[in-house]
Amino acid sequence: MAGHFEALPGGGAAVPLDEVEISILRSLAVQLLELIGPGDEPVAGEDPLAALFAEGPTEPPSDPALRRLFPDAYADDDEELRQAAADFRRYTENDLRTRKRDDALTVVRTLDGLSASGEGGAVLKLTPDESRAWLGSLNDLRLTIGTRLEVKDEDQGEELYRLPDDDPRKPMVMAYLWLGALQETLVETLMS
């Protein structure tokens, strides 16, 4: 899994992926969609402006990975700050969930739109907007996997790399490190 993103003329990015990489990325994106959950579909006849002001949850999610994806705005034991965090969550989490869901859907759709190159893989070519969605989704995937692995800092991620092959966490660690490398080359590509 040595592919890395490269800039495309006019913006966007491209990366060669083999069939296994495509399958892994698609599977991870689908799992992220399942974790985030379905969106609220507008009800026929409902005022679209009212939907903009629909209130979301006020409490952080119970799942640690979701709590990492949707953190509190303020981390403090002060009652006033807890109330401010609840208010902030109420008015922002639904939109944040929608954006994260849209980013993951972009990953799935762009992977589904690939044509095989005949060598068991393909070159994924992304527009600038698709590249930004991929960057968001790669970040969300790394945060989720890192939370499941209980990674607290980057140095610990390197320690996990040295796990024995028979450790049941090894495949998840390899995905975590690979996603990090993809994310890094995509950031570099978008900044060039």
Side-chain angles (χ1 to χ4, degrees):
M1 296 187 199
H4 63 276
F5 281 96
E6 295 183 8
L8 288 175
V15 62
L17 298 169
D18 65 32
E19 288 179 8
V20 172
E21 292 168 328
I22 293 166
S23 176
I24 290 170
L25 285 166
R26 190 180 190 292
S27 174
L28 289 171
V30 168
Q31 290 175 56
L32 181 62
L33 284 165
E34 291 169 356
L35 179 66
I36 293 169
D40 294 330
E41 296 297 320
V43 177
E46 183 179 275
D47 179 9
L49 190 56
L52 284 176
F53 296 102
E55 293 185 8
T58 58
E59 294 295 321
S62 59
D63 183 311
L66 284 174
R67 224 177 9 258
R68 184 70 176 98
L69 292 176
F70 306 105
D72 272 334
Y74 310 103
D76 200 307
D77 291 334
D78 180 84
E79 179 58 35
E80 193 171 306
L81 286 178
R82 273 197 303 272
Q83 184 57 47
D87 289 341
F88 185 80
R89 180 178 298 283
R90 177 182 306 126
Y91 296 112
T92 61
E93 186 171 314
N94 287 345
D95 288 341
L96 186 55
R97 278 183 186 268
T98 298
R99 196 201 77 220
K100 289 179 181 300
R101 191 178 302 107
D102 289 347
D103 288 351
L105 280 170
T106 297
V107 170
V108 171
R109 289 178 180 140
T110 54
L111 291 171
D112 286 351
L114 284 176
S115 313
S117 65
E119 299 171 9
V123 175
L124 176 69
K125 293 181 181 180
L126 303 172
T127 67
D129 286 341
E130 290 169 338
S131 296
R132 284 186 286 281
W134 263 76
L135 188 57
S137 203
L138 287 171
N139 186 61
D140 291 342
L141 287 167
R142 285 199 73 229
L143 288 172
T144 301
I145 293 171
T147 301
R148 297 288 191 239
L149 290 170
E150 299 178 354
V151 173
K152 304 293 183 210
D153 59 46
E154 275 308 305
D155 292 336
Q156 188 180 8
E158 290 301 317
E159 289 172 20
L160 288 170
Y161 186 73
R162 294 188 260 299
L163 288 174
D165 288 341
D166 62 348
D167 190 303
R169 298 172 295 167
K170 187 74 173 199
M172 201 164 34
V173 168
M174 296 309 294
Y176 175 78
L177 295 170
W178 176 55
L179 291 169
L182 280 176
Q183 183 181 16
E184 184 177 337
T185 64
L186 184 53
V187 167
E188 290 169 357
T189 298
L190 295 177
M191 292 179 61
S192 63

